[in-house]
Amino acid sequence: MTTVDDKSVVKEYFNATGFDRWRRIYGDGEVNKVQLDIRIGHQQTIDTVLDWLKADDNLTHLTICDAGCGVGSLSIPLAEAGAKVEASDISEKMVGEAKERAASETLKGSLNLSVQDLESLRGQYHTVICLDVLIHYPQNQADAMISHLCSLSESRVILSFAPKTCFYSLLKKIGSLFPGPSKTTRAYLHKEADVIAILEKNGFQIQRQAMTKTRFYFSRILEATRSAS
């Protein structure tokens, strides 16, 4: 049985056909109904996280790591709001697109974009964010990834993932029966209890949570803060 390297699959996909597909979804041009639904759902996740961070009224004092930043949908508005953001993605093309979208003198010094995989990230940040990345990796890899993200965080981790429930597992199975020319990477669902257990193992407790749900996009969002020693 051939072992699949999920990281290589993700990197190749988002530097090839996946890049064009998701750049359109994350943009504002014309897309089909399914892509529009995913665009709306993804933006709702971004807006939820932005609302959480802006409500705390301390963005100008924060250092933020945006792991798996894509085309900068979250990183750019965070930098525009005054946070100091280190953003990275495994895809060189995604980072290139993010740099084009962030081409503004006002963001110099506030936003740094780089091509890195999640495991190679280093440094310490007040808040570490990883949205819509875990869906590309199985549970055993997700455990290591979340634990590494926790090690980078001084105070808070915000994650989103596709929750594993009977209903969403059925939807995934139905969707796998209809592959198309723009078929994405394999989608992995994660049990919320498992994700919370990993966060707690690394010394974090859940503070806020939300669910984004449209017809074709679903994402559970968790905010966890480091427990007092």
Side-chain angles (χ1 to χ4, degrees):
M1 186 179 206
T2 304
T3 300
V4 176
D5 181 353
D6 290 282
K7 186 195 297 186
S8 297
V9 171
V10 171
K11 183 176 182 179
E12 181 180 350
Y13 174 73
F14 281 104
N15 275 324
T17 58
F19 169 69
D20 293 327
R21 178 175 187 252
W22 289 97
R23 179 177 59 175
R24 290 196 304 273
I25 290 174
Y26 294 153
D28 54 12
E30 185 175 343
V31 289
N32 63 43
K33 290 182 179 180
V34 173
Q35 292 171 331
L36 178 59
D37 182 87
I38 295 171
R39 175 190 289 174
I40 292 170
H42 175 74
Q43 189 59 50
Q44 286 177 4
T45 293
I46 295 295
D47 290 343
T48 295
V49 174
L50 284 172
D51 288 345
W52 283 354
L53 298 180
K54 288 179 179 180
D56 294 340
D57 198 27
N58 63 348
L59 266 178
T60 56
H61 302 290
L62 299 189
T63 55
I64 295 176
C65 171
D66 184 9
C69 66
V71 298
S73 303
L74 178 65
S75 299
I76 293 171
L78 283 176
E80 289 174 339
K84 186 172 182 180
V85 183
E86 289 286 334
S88 60
D89 199 275
I90 195 172
S91 165
E92 183 177 355
K93 283 195 172 183
M94 284 288 191
V95 172
E97 177 71 14
K99 286 181 177 179
E100 287 188 18
R101 296 186 182 195
S104 168
E105 291 293 323
T106 61
L107 295 184
K108 281 191 175 180
S110 299
L111 175 62
N112 182 55
L113 289 151
S114 62
V115 181
Q116 294 186 76
D117 61 46
L118 189 150
E119 294 90 342
S120 68
L121 296 176
R122 297 292 182 266
Q124 287 290 295
Y125 309 90
H126 177 278
T127 298
V128 175
I129 303 172
C130 186
L131 302 183
D132 292 353
V133 171
L134 295 176
I135 193 170
H136 301 296
Y137 299 95
Q139 183 62 32
N140 63 326
Q141 292 186 49
D143 191 327
M145 287 178 168
I146 295 171
S147 295
H148 182 60
L149 292 173
C150 288
S151 75
L152 304 175
S153 172
E154 297 171 344
S155 181
R156 174 172 54 193
V157 172
I158 299 175
L159 304 173
S160 77
F161 57 95
K164 188 173 185 178
T165 66
C166 292
F167 176 69
Y168 291 134
S169 295
L170 177 61
L171 282 183
K172 177 189 170 185
K173 184 173 292 187
I174 293 171
S176 68
L177 299 176
F178 301 96
S182 59
K183 183 72 174 175
T184 185
T185 62
R186 292 185 299 172
Y188 294 97
L189 310 182
H190 299 281
K191 291 182 180 179
E192 183 172 344
D194 291 341
V195 175
I196 292 175
I198 297 167
L199 290 166
E200 291 179 344
K201 177 182 69 175
N202 285 279
F204 286 79
Q205 297 294 322
I206 302 300
Q207 296 300 322
R208 286 182 283 203
Q209 49 193 299
M211 182 72 191
T212 303
K213 182 171 61 175
T214 63
R215 290 185 65 191
F216 301 102
Y217 175 98
F218 45 97
S219 184
R220 186 67 164 160
I221 315 166
L222 299 177
E223 177 198 56
T225 56
R226 189 173 289 280
S227 304
S229 301

